[in-house]
Amino acid sequence: MDLKPSKLGTKDYWQDFYKVEIRNFQENPSDTGECWFDDSGAQDQIVRYVADTFAGQDVEVLDLGTGNGRLLFGLRDEDVEGKFLGIDYVATSVELAQQVADAEGYDVEFQQVDFLKSSAWTDRRFDIVLDKGTLDAIALSVSSDDKTGPQLLRN
Ligand SMILES: C[S@@+](CC[C@H](N)C(=O)[O-])C[C@H]1O[C@@H](n2cnc3c(N)ncnc32)[C@H](O)[C@@H]1O
């Protein structure tokens, strides 16, 4: 079944979205922004699963399309140890996530990377690769380039 393309599948949408979220955060530091699938408790379930499964271990975690970085911060709040990297293809996401990390003292690295177009991140090895809402957003893209993503991820 073909999905109808949506603005959620465009880079411009996310660039503008996190620009607004940065402004909100600067005006009110307790507002760290939208958390995708929060209504269904997705973040809590992911965090609980990882914290329980990897308790007491050092794990390298990659978050694809990290947005405001809150998924990784949630893991830190549950004392998950190890190196965490959040990547996102828009600069405003990385800027927001870094600002929140600095303000709240989280040890998490963020990089601006389009993981469908750059293989730089594949040089590193990760114990856990997370995605919350990112592959959904990509599935809503109209770009034929972006449709190579699922193929790339399969290989
Ligand atoms: C629905 S948001 C989810 C954000 C975050 N994971 C969350 O749960 O709040 C989708 C995110 O994927 C990012 N994204 C989409 N395509 C990407 C790509 N090819 N490479 C890196 N990030 C991408 C967007 O910029 C956006 O931050």
Side-chain angles (χ1 to χ4, degrees):
M1 186 183 80
D2 279 342
L3 287 173
K4 286 206 177 92
S6 153
K7 62 185 181 184
L8 273 70
T10 68
K11 196 170 176 179
D12 283 351
Y13 175 83
W14 295 111
Q15 177 70 18
D16 292 348
F17 181 88
Y18 289 110
K19 195 170 164 186
V20 173
E21 298 276 68
I22 289 172
R23 203 178 313 132
N24 292 341
F25 176 65
Q26 287 174 346
E27 283 170 6
N28 174 12
S30 69
D31 180 359
T32 56
E34 172 102 23
C35 187
W36 293 88
F37 304 129
D38 213 16
D39 293 353
S40 59
Q43 168 143 336
D44 289 346
Q45 289 183 48
I46 294 170
V47 167
R48 177 77 3 246
Y49 175 80
V50 172
D52 288 349
T53 308
F54 297 92
Q57 299 178 43
D58 249 35
V59 282
E60 294 232 5
V61 183
L62 172 67
D63 186 23
L64 299 171
T66 198
N68 55 19
R70 275 181 57 185
L71 183 54
L72 294 173
F73 303 148
L75 293 177
R76 283 288 190 238
D77 288 342
E78 290 303 315
D79 301 322
V80 180
E81 304 272 0
K83 285 189 188 160
F84 293 3
L85 171 64
I87 61 175
D88 204 289
Y89 70 170
V90 296
T92 48
S93 148
V94 172
E95 201 180 318
L96 171 65
Q98 194 61 63
Q99 284 187 19
V100 177
D102 292 345
E104 300 188 5
Y106 287 109
D107 177 18
V108 176
E109 180 189 354
F110 294 101
Q111 287 179 19
Q112 185 182 357
V113 176
D114 182 336
F115 67 85
L116 298 182
K117 295 191 173 145
S118 162
S119 58
W121 59 279
T122 60
D123 293 341
R124 282 174 65 172
R125 290 286 168 265
F126 298 91
D127 302 301
I128 306 168
V129 179
L130 299 172
D131 141 61
K132 182 161 66 64
T134 302
L135 298 183
D136 304 68
I138 289 168
L140 296 170
S141 164
V142 286
S143 155
S144 55
D145 278 359
D146 287 352
K147 297 291 185 199
T148 61
Q151 181 65 43
L152 180 147
L153 290 170
R154 270 202 299 273
N155 289 339

